[in-house]
Amino acid sequence: LLIFAILLLSLGIHCSHIPGPNIAGAFPSIILGAFICFVTIVGGLAFKLHQIELNIIYLIFLVCIFGAQLIFATATLLMDERFMVRSFLKEMYNTKVPRLSGDIEEFQNYFQCCGFYGPDGSDVIVTEGIYLSKGNEKPTLRNVTHLIPECCPRHTVLCTKLDSYKDNCVDKIVKEHSKWRKMLGAFLVSSAYVLAVVFFLGVKEISISQ
């Protein structure tokens, strides 16, 4: 059970550090994983010392944790992250809000995606005046259309559709979050099963000792 708790805690921490909106089940997994670690260590000591009262309290805690795990597992597996991802990205790409270049670069490079609608979306297309010249001609101001630099891999001089990431960030993030969300849900269910086994073994141990 302690191993499952540590794995659940580690998985929750990893998911909480993935860029973008919070993955469903990440923070409950961290809390449950840490709590199960603590309860398992204390419960193990109680059984080692043959403290019946502490053993019973330990088993009661296991029942409570089991119920919480099933609730969080069900909520995690049934969650649809598309609405949350779309809301997050709409705020991120809202032209009325100052664009945080570092944040956009972080998650677009992580997910290798470009904007809300992809490289054809108006949220990532930039038109600006650049002085250009041919040969010995005097530089003239011309409008040049390109993409925001965060849509291309780092060190790209001028980001264009040819160099940019092809996928839109909504689908890419939803796909990635869905994968980790289902993994968290499955792990919550698995650890709940292990917890139930430990509970019945604990009950058996108490009945034998009496």
Side-chain angles (χ1 to χ4, degrees):
L1 183 59
L2 183 61
I3 294 173
F4 267 85
I6 293 172
L7 290 174
L8 181 63
L9 177 62
S10 302
L11 188 59
I13 292 173
H14 173 75
C15 290
S16 68
H17 284 87
I18 293 177
N22 296 326
I23 295 178
F27 288 111
S29 296
I30 294 173
I31 295 170
L32 283 172
F35 190 61
I36 294 171
C37 284
F38 173 75
V39 170
T40 302
I41 293 171
V42 174
L45 290 174
F47 272 96
K48 195 76 174 177
L49 298 173
H50 302 289
Q51 297 289 328
I52 302 299
E53 294 81 6
L54 288 178
N55 291 343
I56 293 173
I57 294 174
Y58 168 62
L59 294 178
I60 292 173
F61 271 115
L62 289 185
V63 172
C64 295
I65 296 171
F66 176 79
Q69 280 190 289
L70 288 184
I71 292 171
F72 283 123
T74 303
T76 300
L77 290 171
L78 294 178
M79 179 71 69
D80 184 5
E81 52 276 293
R82 182 167 290 273
F83 174 77
M84 188 165 53
V85 170
R86 290 176 69 90
S87 299
F88 173 84
L89 291 178
K90 278 183 178 179
E91 183 178 355
M92 179 72 75
Y93 292 114
N94 189 349
T95 54
K96 296 179 182 179
V97 178
R99 184 161 57 86
L100 301 177
S101 180
D103 293 341
I104 294 178
E105 182 180 18
E106 178 188 7
F107 79 80
Q108 287 200 166
N109 278 304
Y110 182 89
F111 293 107
Q112 295 189 346
C113 61
C114 177
F116 196 89
Y117 302 102
D120 293 319
S122 59
D123 53 327
V124 295
I125 295 177
V126 179
T127 301
E128 59 183 348
I130 298 178
Y131 283 95
L132 298 174
S133 64
K134 290 183 179 180
N136 296 324
E137 293 180 5
K138 184 179 179 180
T140 56
L141 184 63
R142 300 182 184 181
N143 288 330
V144 176
T145 300
H146 60 90
L147 302 179
I148 60 174
E150 295 84 3
C151 277
C152 290
R154 289 184 174 92
H155 311 303
T156 303
V157 178
L158 185 66
C159 186
T160 64
K161 291 181 182 180
L162 293 175
D163 305 315
S164 70
Y165 302 121
K166 307 306 178 188
D167 298 316
N168 69 74
C169 288
V170 175
D171 293 338
K172 206 69 185 288
I173 296 176
V174 166
K175 182 179 179 181
E176 185 74 9
H177 278 214
S178 178
K179 178 185 72 176
W180 287 106
R181 174 181 58 80
K182 291 175 181 177
M183 192 179 299
L184 277 173
F187 213 89
L188 282 167
V189 172
S190 301
S191 57
Y193 172 77
V194 174
L195 193 147
V197 172
V198 172
F199 172 79
F200 285 112
L201 289 175
V203 171
K204 184 179 179 181
E205 181 73 21
I206 291 176
S207 61
I208 291 174
S209 62
Q210 289 180 339

